[in-house]
Amino acid sequence: MEPRAVVTPRGEDRIAGGHLWVYRSDVADVQASGGEVVAVVGARRRLIGRALYSDRSQIALRLLVHGDRPVDAAFWRARLEAAIRFREGLGIDATAYRLVHGEGDLLPSLIVDRYGEHLVVQSLSQGIERALPEITAALVEHLAPAGILARNDVKVRALEGLGQEVALLHGAVPPAIPVREGPIEYEVDPWTGQKTGLFLDQRENRAAGASYARGRLFDGFSYNGGFAMRLAASCDQVVAADISADAVARIEANVRRNGLTNVRAIEANVFDELRRLERERERFDTIVLDPPAFAKNKASIERALAGYREINLRALRILSPGGCLITCSCSYHVDEAAFAQVIYEAAIDAGVHVGVVEKRMQGRDHPVLLGVPETYYLKCLIVRRIE
């Protein structure tokens, strides 16, 4: 008998509304083991589709297909090929980008990133973990990569009852891979670097920001200097700040690699540094704020909003009239409207007028699936201080 899960009317409505997740509270009955593909059945025993089942996570079901369609090797191959084909049509000017973006590619809880001739994958659910051999075989068949690395060392796997590990799945993956993003080159550490090696979702925002950058630039929460280096060609002086000494060392190495002479990296708490710059009446023509996620869950939203308000207030006070602030939030729990409200309130408190030049989001290789708001996490506003 095929493994199956019976969902409540609320769970059925959730799927009908376009979401791919069904929470444990909306599963009325289940006859399956964790990681299996199950037939999803409605209250009237009507087959809705097939999904990945987790016996540990609060997200019990992740829908793969609607109706009576098989989930087999051909399924994984077709979905992966569709995702890859989409990226090939984007004309991405980089050798590092996302190939598979989980729910955004109808492959929930699967991440695949490309770094030159190598791939890095993350399996974030029991079901994807079980299907990883088939997924790996399909990637090898379609792309013939030099190596595939599993970066399964992320904390979210604990919610699935999965261990944290880094494992070689195919070929060989070196400790350092040279990649290019537009005119900028990086050296990626796929084995221990953040995420799968780099933050790939800001690529297009960095390119957009270069169109507005000028004069003196402050790049806060710089990490590896991505914004600082991409915008440096348009600026006279660049200060890239990060609280991590390791990050500062990475920025300095990347700056040398790209032959940039106008970028200075400093180790600093950005909150404190912005206050210091304000006290000393420093002025910048361009400011970038790309902090880590301040809101990890709903309980931290208010504190996160206060944090965003604080850094944007300080930034607007040291931004020269006519200058641009490129400000970001990667907190899913802080939606676009709330983030825009924060910038508005910061401008009021700073006593300045700002105009929105562009509203941006994560790069096109990180698609948002309508009906799954969790896939829209990165907000980026480019605003101009009018006076």
Side-chain angles (χ1 to χ4, degrees), residues 56-305:
R56 292 287 298 273
S57 173
Q58 288 302 308
I59 304 172
L61 300 176
R62 291 175 167 87
L63 194 74
L64 294 173
V65 295
H66 289 271
D68 191 11
R69 297 167 57 192
V71 176
D72 52 17
F75 161 83
W76 295 111
R77 188 164 53 249
R79 281 281 166 88
L80 289 167
E81 287 177 357
I84 294 165
R85 191 163 55 247
F86 169 64
R87 273 68 177 184
E88 291 173 345
L90 291 179
I92 296 173
D93 184 21
T95 59
Y97 51 89
R98 179 147 294 181
L99 281 176
V100 177
H101 187 57
E103 284 75 1
D105 287 297
L106 300 182
L107 287 165
S109 64
L110 173 65
I111 300 298
V112 183
D113 288 338
R114 179 166 210 159
Y115 295 103
E117 298 303 313
H118 303 83
L119 305 179
V120 181
V121 306
Q122 288 181 328
S123 55
L124 305 179
S125 71
Q126 294 174 347
I128 291 296
E129 184 86 344
R130 182 175 290 200
L132 204 52
E134 289 178 300
I135 291 168
T136 301
L139 290 170
V140 170
E141 177 185 343
H142 192 76
L143 295 172
I148 301 178
L149 183 70
R151 276 295 302 273
N152 288 332
D153 54 348
V154 288
K155 292 181 179 178
V156 70
R157 280 171 55 91
L159 300 175
E160 295 280 329
L162 300 172
Q164 296 183 25
E165 63 177 1
V166 180
L168 185 65
L169 302 180
H170 168 77
V173 176
I177 302 173
V179 297
R180 179 186 59 79
E181 180 186 294
I184 302 300
E185 293 184 354
Y186 299 90
E187 191 171 79
V188 178
D189 178 355
W191 288 82
T192 62
Q194 288 285 342
K195 299 289 187 178
T196 61
L198 281 180
F199 289 97
L200 301 173
D201 48 11
Q202 288 279 26
R203 182 187 63 257
E204 294 173 4
N205 295 333
R206 287 190 278 261
S211 301
Y212 304 98
R214 63 180 179 83
R216 201 170 177 220
L217 164 67
F218 178 81
D219 177 21
F221 310 96
S222 190
Y223 178 57
N224 64 353
F227 271 103
M229 293 190 297
R230 188 68 175 83
L231 275 56
S234 305
C235 297
D236 301 321
Q237 301 174 8
V238 179
V239 177
D242 201 283
I243 197 171
S244 163
D246 289 342
V248 171
R250 280 194 301 270
I251 296 168
E252 291 173 339
N254 284 328
V255 165
R256 289 192 297 271
R257 185 182 189 90
N258 288 276
L260 300 172
T261 58
N262 61 338
V263 179
R264 178 168 63 93
I266 63 170
E267 182 181 343
N269 179 307
V270 175
F271 284 86
D272 295 340
E273 183 66 11
L274 288 170
R275 294 188 193 101
R276 184 191 70 78
L277 293 169
E278 182 185 350
R279 286 196 306 271
E280 298 184 5
R281 299 183 181 277
E282 296 276 4
R283 291 293 180 267
F284 292 87
D285 305 292
T286 311
I287 298 176
V288 176
L289 297 176
D290 182 22
F294 287 167
K296 299 290 188 181
N297 50 53
K298 289 183 179 180
S300 60
I301 290 177
E302 286 305 314
R303 184 176 179 181
L305 292 174

Side-chain angles (χ1 to χ4, degrees), residues 3-30:
R4 71 170 192 166
V6 179
V7 298
T8 66
R10 187 171 67 174
E12 193 167 358
D13 288 344
R14 186 174 174 84
I15 293 173
H19 214 296
L20 303 184
W21 299 352
V22 177
Y23 290 101
R24 183 160 305 283
S25 58
D26 291 321
V27 176
D29 182 54
V30 62

